[in-house]
Amino acid sequence: MATRNTIILAAGKGTRMKSKLYKVLHQVCGKAMVDHVLTQIEKNKMDNVVTVVGYGAQNVEDALGDRTKYVLQKQQLGTGHAVLQTEELLGNLDGETLIVSGDTPLFTAETFAHLLEYHEAKHAAATVLTSVAPDPTGYGRIVRNDIGIVEKIVEQKDATAKEATIAEINTGVYCFDNRTLFDALHLITNDNAQGEYYLTDVIGILKQRGDIVAAYQMDSFDESMGVNDRIALAKANQVMRDRINTHLMQNGVTLIDPASTYIDADVKIGTDTVIEGGVSIKGNTTIGSDCFIGAHSEIQDSVLHDSVKVLASFIEKSEMHTGSDIGPYSHLRPEAEIGEQAHLGNFVEVKKSVIGNGTKVGHLTYVGDATLGENINVGCGVVFVNYDGTAKHHTNVGDHAFIGSNSNLIAPLEIAADSFVAAGSTITDSTEKFDMAIARARQVNKPGYAKKLPW
């Protein structure tokens, strides 16, 4: 039975990145480059996906998990040698094999599908995905004969002066008849400037045998961009960001200034949400419809339901329910859950706490390790004192309670529903329903004493 297979080449060290991080794990819009490649491959429903790893192998496997099989290229002897490492898994299969590099994060599933369809239609032994580069320096060149048939692929370092002027470049993506591929891999040599076994040499071998070698030229050069250094990484991020933002706007999201709006690849945003400039939305974040995200906000790995308003605030690993709002200049730390129609004003920090429906925390307040019920009013400057120097403790506040300004609630503590904490109190004991708790020194005035002071 014929199979569809993919080999992802991810074994190179990437020395030009000048980084401790393995090259293919550098991120583009919040996702490792090799993860982008695998995500697009998965949309084409392959029978087998094998990733060739080398340097940083365990880190790549940790990043991709069981979505792919792995083989190890112990010595970096070139792309042909890398593909040959998959022979034990794929060598005896009928069908076709797509080969793509793990440092090309901009390819789309549609391009891969078109390449596969073209390869099948041409009944080719091999099909090369090509593009026309504005500056082909550094890329392998596609050498065609007088009638346009592919003759060979020449690497930059092996190209003649005439070949170096060719603008059509090899994107590093191929489709092969699987058995033909592995037969030819055993025939390539390392007689070249790099002393490596080039996958591209398979094309020349197939041409000499009289096999059909086709080339599918894609429309977008940007999509074929490989990332070998930090400059290319920045360009790839820009291209991906433009693609993400365009898709969102086409689907009903308003971006006031797309050029300064940074949205990761896995973010989901509903229709009629408005996002101002300078906003970063990262990780696995979902934002509902009719939301407003004000300028210079940052949201990471969070869920915002419909009609949420965020003004210049930082939200991480938290959830805001329908109609709630926050900011400006507030911070939701991990495991904060904000109820429907709840209000968090300016300079409010919430950590590992639940704020109930309709509750208001106006400003200059820290809520940590607490559960607040519904329709509570928390005054200015309140501190939920949750840490005793050794352990964190929890505070519960019941519905309709009132917490006066500049109060300290020292956990563990139970503030009952409908109870009242007087402003300026330091509360250490729990309250009962309808209690008013007051814990502050009684004021004493000293007549005339101010005259003795030095000013």
Side-chain angles (χ1 to χ4, degrees):
M1 183 179 75
T3 59
R4 273 191 170 184
N5 313 292
T6 297
I7 299 170
I8 300 175
L9 302 179
K13 188 174 184 180
T15 54
R16 280 182 283 173
M17 296 297 288
K18 303 228 174 0
S19 175
K20 296 182 291 296
L21 182 64
Y22 186 43
K23 180 172 75 166
V24 298
L25 295 180
H26 280 268
Q27 293 198 344
V28 171
C29 292
K31 182 183 286 192
M33 292 193 288
V34 69
D35 195 345
H36 277 291
V37 173
L38 179 56
T39 297
Q40 298 306 311
I41 290 295
E42 288 171 329
K43 294 178 181 180
N44 282 288
K45 298 180 179 178
M46 294 290 174
D47 296 298
N48 298 287
V49 179
V50 182
T51 300
V52 182
V53 293
Y55 294 102
Q58 188 57 55
N59 292 332
V60 175
E61 293 184 30
D62 290 344
L64 301 182
D66 60 2
R67 296 159 58 195
T68 171
K69 299 173 185 175
Y70 302 92
V71 295
L72 179 65
Q73 186 186 21
K74 294 180 181 179
Q75 292 180 285
Q76 311 305 298
L77 301 178
T79 51
H81 178 262
V83 173
L84 196 56
Q85 307 312 299
T86 70
E87 186 172 31
E88 186 174 335
L89 293 175
L90 302 178
N92 293 322
L93 299 178
D94 293 321
E96 56 202 12
T97 294
L98 182 68
I99 299 176
V100 59
S101 297
D103 61 358
T104 53
L106 299 175
F107 281 116
T108 64
E110 291 76 17
T111 294
F112 292 144
H114 292 157
L115 173 62
L116 288 162
E117 290 166 4
Y118 187 87
H119 174 79
E120 292 167 354
K122 293 294 183 181
H123 303 288
T127 303
V128 184
L129 182 65
T130 75
S131 185
V132 175
D135 178 7
T137 304
Y139 290 92
R141 308 302 204 278
I142 303 298
V143 179
R144 297 178 182 264
N145 65 14
D146 293 340
I147 59 173
I149 295 174
V150 175
E151 288 291 334
K152 61 181 178 178
I153 302 171
V154 179
E155 298 298 325
Q156 170 79 33
K157 293 183 179 181
D158 299 309
T160 65
K162 182 178 180 181
E163 289 167 344
T165 65
I166 297 171
E168 185 180 11
I169 57 94
N170 174 21
T171 66
V173 178
Y174 312 87
C175 191
F176 288 96
D177 174 81
N178 189 65
R179 288 187 181 274
T180 301
L181 168 65
F182 286 100
D183 287 344
L185 282 171
H186 288 284
L187 302 176
I188 63 175
T189 70
N190 63 348
D191 184 19
N192 51 61
Q194 291 288 88
E196 294 184 350
Y197 296 90
Y198 291 148
L199 178 60
T200 49
D201 287 347
V202 169
I203 302 300
I205 290 169
L206 298 183
K207 289 293 296 183
Q208 290 173 4
R209 286 180 10 180
D211 291 338
I212 297 173
V213 175
Y216 174 72
Q217 188 178 110
M218 59 190 293
D219 295 328
S220 170
F221 170 73
D222 283 346
E223 193 175 321
S224 68
M225 185 187 302
V227 176
N228 291 311
D229 56 29
R230 306 293 180 125
I231 298 167
L233 183 65
K235 290 178 180 177
N237 269 282
Q238 184 176 7
V239 172
M240 182 68 78
R241 186 165 67 245
D242 290 345
R243 182 187 297 176
I244 291 167
N245 289 352
T246 297
H247 175 76
L248 288 169
M249 290 186 288
Q250 289 171 338
N251 284 277
V253 177
T254 296
L255 303 183
I256 300 301
D257 184 11
S260 67
T261 304
Y262 305 88
I263 301 175
D264 278 356
D266 290 332
V267 171
K268 299 177 178 61
I269 303 176
T271 57
D272 292 316
T273 284
V274 176
I275 300 173
E276 292 189 327
V279 170
S280 294
I281 306 176
K282 301 179 178 180
N284 293 312
T285 293
T286 299
I287 297 176
S289 299
D290 302 298
C291 294
F292 179 86
I293 312 298
H296 309 300
S297 296
E298 183 170 328
I299 303 169
Q300 297 181 0
D301 297 313
S302 296
V303 176
L304 277 59
H305 295 265
D306 296 342
S307 303
V308 168
K309 185 176 183 179
V310 178
L311 297 178
S313 293
F314 182 26
I315 299 170
E316 52 179 332
K317 296 180 180 178
S318 295
E319 183 172 8
M320 295 185 68
H321 289 277
T322 300
S324 58
D325 68 274
I326 186 173
Y329 313 121
S330 289
H331 184 185
L332 296 186
R333 289 167 59 191
E335 299 183 62
E337 182 176 354
I338 312 304
E340 294 183 6
Q341 307 301 323
H343 165 68
L344 306 181
N346 54 308
F347 301 104
V348 173
E349 180 179 348
V350 180
K351 169 247 166 189
K352 200 176 181 181
S353 297
V354 176
I355 308 294
N357 296 343
T359 287
K360 294 177 173 57
V361 184
H363 37 206
L364 298 163
T365 290
Y366 170 68
V367 183
D369 294 281
T371 301
L372 280 63
E374 298 184 357
N375 299 306
I376 296 166
N377 187 85
V378 179
C380 176
V382 171
V383 177
F384 284 70
V385 184
N386 58 335
Y387 184 53
D388 64 6
T390 302
K392 299 290 180 68
H393 300 282
H394 201 83
T395 294
N396 292 311
V397 182
D399 297 345
H400 307 287
F402 184 97
I403 311 299
S405 296
N406 201 35
S407 296
N408 298 307
L409 306 183
I410 300 180
L413 194 62
E414 298 283 336
I415 302 297
D418 297 295
S419 60
F420 187 104
V421 173
S425 294
T426 295
I427 302 299
T428 58
D429 296 327
S430 297
T431 68
E432 300 292 335
K433 190 176 176 72
F434 299 121
D435 282 354
M436 184 185 79
I438 181 169
R440 61 189 185 216
R442 188 175 296 276
Q443 180 175 333
V444 177
N445 293 343
K446 301 287 186 178
Y449 191 84
K451 294 178 180 180
K452 301 179 183 179
L453 298 176
W455 55 79

